[in-house]
């Protein structure tokens, strides 16, 4: 049940998916893995949309060079844990949202427990080795995974529904070397917003998800392309099988 | 045989968005990339590493499947295949 304050706060989007849709968002827990550029954008939009609970996971501390894109962290946050800084800003954006900060790097050890608490998992990581751990954990828990990645003006996103779509390892079987990519805040905003939109669509049942399609954003050309992606029958993570 | 190549991001700037390439029968992904790379030294550098292998930060999809989950650069191509070429995007 939504109270009068919630009805007022979410009035413009209740027009999109009704009170029932809003309640589904309110009842959901989102695990956002990474509190960098993408994590900032996704978390901010999920928070103001009224997601019930956000778990923010990041083991890093805020640095000055983060602030061109990681909009949950401000100058006075330099040196603080990103997860704590992010949680504080999220609470400020929407005090109705329950926020939990996990000051740890996502790894094989902790991801299973974290994912088991979530209805949706957002990939806001910065390496494919970590993403593959997250992919496995989401598959095992049968929780949807909303992938995003950015580099400079370029970005990509896709939505992974265990048992229905190719998994992240089907699409990207290897881990390119981790590099310090050039990064633009606005690109994080584009891709993070797409991820947040996908989460809201999944929760409310609206629209057509980015399932089996990889969205490629080319900011320099202001182009957005979709390429079909298929399961790998020999995938070591999902086996390429429908459930 | 005709292969449709779709290039994205920095590869689109050099190759154009969508092109049709006429390759000999029984060509592989490597043959296609080699043909494409022969167009400029800069492009060759962007696709292949110093040992001649496809760089790890390059994605090649053949009909929606990453070439590394097929037979790598030895993946055989067939007439009508659609190949997507785009750089790895890793950051968050």
């Amino acid at each position: 049940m939504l109270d009068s304050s919630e009805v007022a706060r979410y009035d413009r989007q209740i027009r999109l998916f009704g009170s029932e849709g809003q309640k589904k968002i309110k009842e959901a827990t989102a695990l956002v893995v990474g509190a960098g550029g993408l994590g900032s954008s996704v978390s901010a939009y999920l928070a103001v949309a009224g997601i019930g609970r956000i778990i923010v996971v990041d083991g890093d501390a805020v640095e000055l060079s983060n602030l061109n894109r990681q909009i949950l962290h401000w100058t006075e946050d330099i040196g603080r844990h990103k997860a704590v800084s992010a949680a504080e800003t999220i609470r400020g954006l929407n005090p109705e949202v329950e926020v939990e900060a996990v000051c740890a790097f996502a790894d094989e050890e902790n991801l299973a427990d974290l994912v088991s608490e979530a209805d949706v998992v957002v990939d806001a990581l910065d390496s494919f080795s970590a993403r593959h751990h997250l992919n496995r954990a989401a598959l095992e828990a049968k929780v949807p995974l909303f992938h995003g990645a950015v580099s400079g003006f370029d970005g990509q996103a896709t939505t992974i529904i265990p048992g229905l779509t190719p998994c992240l390892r089907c699409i990207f079987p290897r881990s390119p070397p981790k590099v310090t990519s050039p990064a633009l805040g606005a690109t994080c905003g584009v891709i993070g917003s797409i991820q947040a939109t996908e989460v809201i669509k999944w929760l409310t049942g609206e629209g057509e998800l980015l399932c089996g399609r990889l969205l490629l954003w080319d900011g320099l050309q202001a182009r957005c392309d979709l390429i079909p992606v298929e399961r790998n029958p020999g995938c070591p993570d999902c086996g390429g099988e429908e459930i | 045989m005709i292969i449709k190549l779709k290039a994205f991001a920095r590869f689109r700037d050099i190759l154009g968005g969508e092109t049709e390439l006429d390759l000999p029968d029984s060509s592989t992904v490597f043959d296609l990339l080699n043909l494409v790379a022969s167009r400029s030294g800069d492009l060759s550098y962007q696709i292949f590493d110093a040992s001649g292998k496809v760089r790890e930060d390059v994605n090649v999809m053949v009909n929606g499947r990453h070439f590394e989950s097929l037979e790598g650069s030895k993946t055989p191509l067939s007439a009508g295949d659609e190949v997507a070429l785009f750089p790895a995007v890793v950051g968050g």
Side-chain angles (χ1 to χ4, degrees):
Chain A
M1 189 72 183
L2 302 175
D3 62 29
S4 59
S5 163
E6 290 169 321
V7 170
R9 182 185 282 267
Y10 305 118
D11 171 71
R12 297 299 194 277
Q13 63 192 53
I14 287 172
R15 296 164 192 242
L16 294 173
F17 35 70
S19 297
E20 284 306 308
Q22 189 62 48
K23 276 193 280 186
K24 288 174 182 166
I25 296 172
K26 181 184 176 181
E27 288 162 4
T29 294
L31 175 70
V32 179
V33 188
L38 287 177
S40 288
S41 174
V42 176
S43 301
Y45 280 112
L46 291 180
V48 296
I51 195 104
R53 182 174 174 230
I54 298 181
I55 306 169
V56 188
V57 184
D58 202 308
D60 257 335
V62 179
E63 297 177 18
L64 184 58
S65 63
N66 300 150
L67 301 187
N68 77 318
R69 63 198 183 281
Q70 301 183 14
I71 56 173
L72 292 183
H73 316 303
W74 302 345
T75 306
E76 58 263 36
D77 296 318
I78 290 169
R80 300 176 70 205
H81 279 294
K82 283 187 182 179
V84 172
S85 163
E88 203 169 281
T89 309
I90 292 166
R91 288 188 196 103
L93 285 168
N94 190 347
E96 305 293 327
V97 177
E98 185 186 336
V99 193
E100 183 183 337
V102 178
C103 300
F105 292 105
D107 58 27
E108 273 182 297
E109 304 293 314
N110 58 20
L111 275 174
D113 284 345
L114 290 167
V115 168
S116 71
E117 293 190 48
D119 299 298
V120 293
V121 177
V122 177
D123 164 13
L125 286 159
D126 62 359
S127 81
F128 269 84
S129 55
R131 284 185 171 102
H132 286 154
H133 292 314
L134 184 61
N135 180 56
R136 275 195 295 276
L139 288 170
E140 282 168 18
K142 298 185 172 59
V143 176
L145 174 64
F146 299 84
H147 164 72
V150 289
S151 176
F153 286 96
D154 297 329
Q156 65 187 32
T158 191
T159 293
I160 293 154
I161 310 296
L164 287 177
T165 69
C167 78
L168 194 64
R169 178 85 82 154
C170 290
I171 304 169
F172 298 110
R174 63 184 177 180
S175 303
K178 188 176 173 178
V179 291
T180 302
S181 306
L184 184 70
T187 307
C188 300
V190 170
I191 299 300
S193 297
I194 289 168
Q195 291 175 284
T197 306
E198 288 290 291
V199 169
I200 289 165
K201 283 159 56 187
W202 165 257
L203 293 173
T204 59
E206 295 289 326
E208 188 178 349
L209 294 163
L210 272 175
C211 291
R213 299 180 295 159
L214 177 67
L215 181 148
L216 298 176
W217 166 247
D218 179 345
L220 274 179
Q221 300 296 325
R223 287 189 62 120
C224 186
D225 293 282
L226 290 165
I227 60 173
V229 285
E230 301 286 338
R231 277 207 172 92
N232 170 14
C235 177
D237 285 2
C238 75
E241 293 175 2
E242 285 190 26
I243 293 173
Chain B
M1 63 181 177
I2 300 297
I3 305 293
K4 188 179 285 184
L5 175 68
K6 294 181 175 180
F8 301 100
R10 66 171 186 261
F11 295 120
R12 184 208 303 273
D13 299 341
I14 303 170
L15 294 166
E18 191 171 319
T19 49
E20 289 192 343
L21 300 172
D22 194 358
L23 291 169
D25 288 352
S26 73
S27 290
T28 63
V29 163
F30 179 84
D31 298 326
L32 180 145
L33 295 177
N34 213 23
L35 175 68
V36 165
S38 68
R39 294 184 181 182
S40 82
D42 185 46
L43 194 52
S44 178
Y45 169 76
Q46 289 187 42
I47 294 175
F48 295 109
D49 65 18
S51 69
K53 290 183 179 167
V54 179
R55 286 172 51 139
E56 290 188 358
D57 60 358
V58 172
N59 287 315
V60 183
M61 298 275 195
V62 180
N63 301 326
R65 292 276 306 279
H66 198 283
F67 78 125
E68 288 293 350
S69 71
L70 297 166
E71 295 174 48
S73 56
K74 293 178 182 168
T75 302
L77 296 173
S78 304
D81 279 351
E82 287 199 6
V83 177
L85 175 66
F86 56 101
V89 172
V90 176

